[in-house]
């Protein structure tokens, strides 16, 4: 058991630290109407568009924007693999989780990704100027600086190593 826990701890210590930061955007209509009916229609339109906007988050154009803005030496393909764009169920919120080797890089990447998505959506849906599309993404909560690495999970690895060691010890 102790040997399994020690091996798992050593494995975790050798793994590179990965930090994950989350930034959010809010899909909304540019109407700005205070009429309840128009607001309801605008919300339904935003909910219809949010799935498409999540797909835009995996485009090379968004990655290239982030590379240019942050002066990264990464390829767009590898950068897309470090970012996960999701939509929480029944919301018009877009969540961007970006992973990097330092907390600052993860935060900056998540925020640049949201800005890149906004520009790409305005190019697709509008005339290319900010806020020109009928439905757009507005930057929501800025990414917070991660306080601890998201990977490796040393505690979980040690517990699993101890359990595997215990099972092997009992089997032996």
């Amino acid at each position: 058991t102790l040997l399994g826990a020690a091996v798992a701890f050593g494995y975790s210590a050798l793994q590179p630290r990965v930090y994950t930061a989350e930034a959010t955007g809010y899909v909304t209509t540019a109407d700005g109407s205070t009429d309840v009916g128009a607001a309801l229609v605008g919300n339904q339109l935003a909910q219809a568009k949010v799935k498409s906007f999540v797909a835009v988050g995996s485009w090379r154009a968004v990655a290239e924007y982030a590379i240019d803005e942050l002066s990264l030496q990464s390829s767009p393909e590898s950068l897309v693999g470090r970012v996960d764009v999701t939509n929480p169920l029944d919301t018009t919120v877009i969540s961007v989780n970006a992973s990097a080797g330092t907390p600052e890089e993860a935060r900056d990447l998540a925020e640049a990704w949201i800005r890149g998505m906004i520009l790409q959506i305005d190019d697709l849906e509008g005339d290319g100027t900010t806020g020109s599309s009928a439905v757009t993404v507005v930057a929501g909560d800025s990414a917070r600086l991660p306080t601890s690495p998201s990977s490796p999970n040393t505690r979980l690895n040690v517990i699993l190593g101890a359990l595997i060691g215990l099972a092997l010890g009992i089997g032996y």
Side-chain angles (χ1 to χ4, degrees):
T1 303
L2 290 177
L3 182 61
V7 168
F9 181 78
Y11 172 78
S12 293
L14 294 175
Q15 297 302 306
R17 301 287 180 249
V18 177
Y19 295 87
T20 302
E22 178 184 24
T24 58
Y26 183 74
V27 179
T28 186
T29 56
D31 181 6
S33 175
T34 57
D35 178 34
V36 174
L40 182 60
V41 169
N43 186 53
Q44 288 175 341
L45 182 59
Q47 284 183 339
K49 288 287 192 175
V50 73
K51 299 293 184 202
S52 299
F53 291 173
V54 167
V56 170
S58 64
W59 287 8
R60 285 176 49 94
V62 177
E64 289 168 354
Y65 172 84
I67 288 169
D68 291 343
E69 183 175 314
L70 301 175
S71 301
L72 299 175
Q73 300 302 319
S74 180
S75 70
E77 291 81 11
S78 68
L79 201 59
V80 167
R82 293 175 29 200
V83 176
D84 184 36
V85 181
T86 59
N87 166 242
L89 189 62
D90 294 332
T91 68
T92 58
V93 173
I94 292 178
S95 176
V96 174
N97 291 303
S99 300
T102 67
E104 294 81 11
E105 288 174 0
R107 178 200 58 207
D108 295 345
L109 181 57
E111 290 177 353
W113 207 267
I114 285 283
R115 289 190 297 273
M117 286 180 64
I118 291 169
L119 288 175
Q120 191 65 35
I121 289 165
D122 284 338
D123 282 345
L124 291 170
E125 300 276 330
D127 61 11
T129 59
T130 304
S132 63
S133 63
V135 179
T136 190
V137 176
V138 177
D141 194 17
S142 61
R144 290 180 180 82
L145 198 62
T147 56
S148 62
S150 57
S151 175
N153 188 339
T154 305
R155 181 181 313 187
L156 178 63
N157 290 347
V158 169
I159 291 171
L160 289 175
L163 289 174
I164 291 170
L166 178 64
L168 290 175
I170 290 171
Y172 176 73

